[in-house]
Amino acid sequence: MRNVNYSVWLFATALLSPSAAVADPCRESLVREMSRPMKGQASKSTITTVTSGQKPMINYHFSNGSGDWLTQVIDPPGMPWSLAVGDVLYASSDKGKTWKKVRELNDPGHDPDVVLKQQADVARSAQNIACGFEEIDGVRLEKLEGDLVYPQMNMTTRQTLWIHPETRQTVKTFSVMRLSGMETAVTQSIEYLSDLTLPKP
């Protein structure tokens, strides 16, 4: 009887182990999508950010697929735009007519490989994972969600992703982030472009 109980305990332990957790189809899908390289096709994202009930901030984020990007703040008006070219961040206070160098982007937090590894590690330890399908604008999209913990930032996030069934590209994300008692909700709608030319500072 003791051996039987021990075998049951080993089986239960295996089910709760990280390796067994990764075998879950929903978790595998979440890890795969959050491990996808950030470089690739050019895109335009419309991002709406709401922090603790304040007025929403809306911006357009353009990425050329090679690591360079441009963020245009639409609302509130008059906010500076940001442009990253190579390892340099620039800012413009006149809607892109002129650019001023802000700083070098040489810290690990801006290294795509480092960020990608962190995302994958966070996804592997996600909790309350769910997956299924949802129809948006007449398209049946795959839907993935889970609770993520970022220990280095002391932040938790409920992350939801919608993936197109044919292209397998993420076309929408919704994040609810909790940090230092504040809650921020971010909705991102992504449009993929055949070509994109960013400003030259």
Side-chain angles (χ1 to χ4, degrees):
M1 182 63 70
R2 182 178 179 183
N3 290 336
V4 172
N5 290 339
Y6 181 66
S7 298
V8 171
W9 178 82
L10 284 176
F11 178 70
T13 302
L15 289 178
L16 296 173
S17 68
S19 59
V22 174
D24 176 76
C26 290
R27 185 180 298 275
E28 286 183 336
S29 296
L30 184 65
V31 171
R32 181 181 62 251
E33 294 306 321
M34 294 190 65
S35 303
R36 192 183 298 276
M38 288 174 279
K39 293 184 178 180
Q41 190 173 347
S43 63
K44 172 188 176 182
S45 297
T46 301
I47 303 173
T48 302
T49 304
V50 181
T51 300
S52 298
Q54 298 178 12
K55 183 180 178 181
M57 172 180 284
I58 302 173
N59 64 62
Y60 295 147
H61 181 82
F62 298 87
S63 172
N64 68 357
S66 299
D68 296 345
W69 52 262
L70 165 68
T71 295
Q72 300 175 341
V73 182
I74 306 304
D75 193 13
M79 298 289 289
W81 292 4
S82 300
L83 173 69
V85 179
D87 294 327
V88 181
L89 177 66
Y90 300 89
S92 173
S93 58
D94 53 14
K95 297 185 177 182
K97 295 178 182 178
T98 59
W99 295 94
K100 180 179 179 180
K101 180 179 177 180
V102 177
R103 65 186 179 93
E104 300 284 336
L105 296 174
N106 53 10
D107 55 282
H110 290 89
D111 185 324
D113 294 331
V114 172
V115 173
L116 198 62
K117 182 180 183 305
Q118 290 175 345
Q119 287 287 100
D121 290 343
V122 166
R124 290 189 184 95
S125 60
Q127 300 295 318
N128 302 316
I129 297 175
C131 58
F133 298 89
E134 182 178 347
E135 185 172 312
I136 298 179
D137 296 331
V139 180
R140 189 170 182 259
L141 303 176
E142 181 179 347
K143 183 179 180 181
L144 302 170
E145 52 187 323
D147 293 332
L148 312 176
V149 178
Y150 295 86
Q152 67 273 23
M153 295 183 287
N154 194 29
M155 180 178 71
T156 61
T157 301
R158 181 65 179 178
Q159 180 73 56
T160 307
L161 309 172
W162 287 266
I163 297 96
H164 195 281
E166 296 178 1
T167 65
R168 303 307 304 165
Q169 293 172 321
T170 299
V171 294
K172 182 180 178 180
T173 69
F174 178 66
S175 308
V176 179
M177 299 173 285
R178 296 176 178 86
L179 174 65
S180 301
M182 296 186 66
E183 183 174 288
T184 300
V186 181
T187 303
Q188 176 175 318
S189 298
I190 307 167
E191 174 188 357
Y192 293 91
L193 309 173
S194 58
D195 190 25
L196 174 66
T197 300
L198 295 176
K200 294 183 179 180

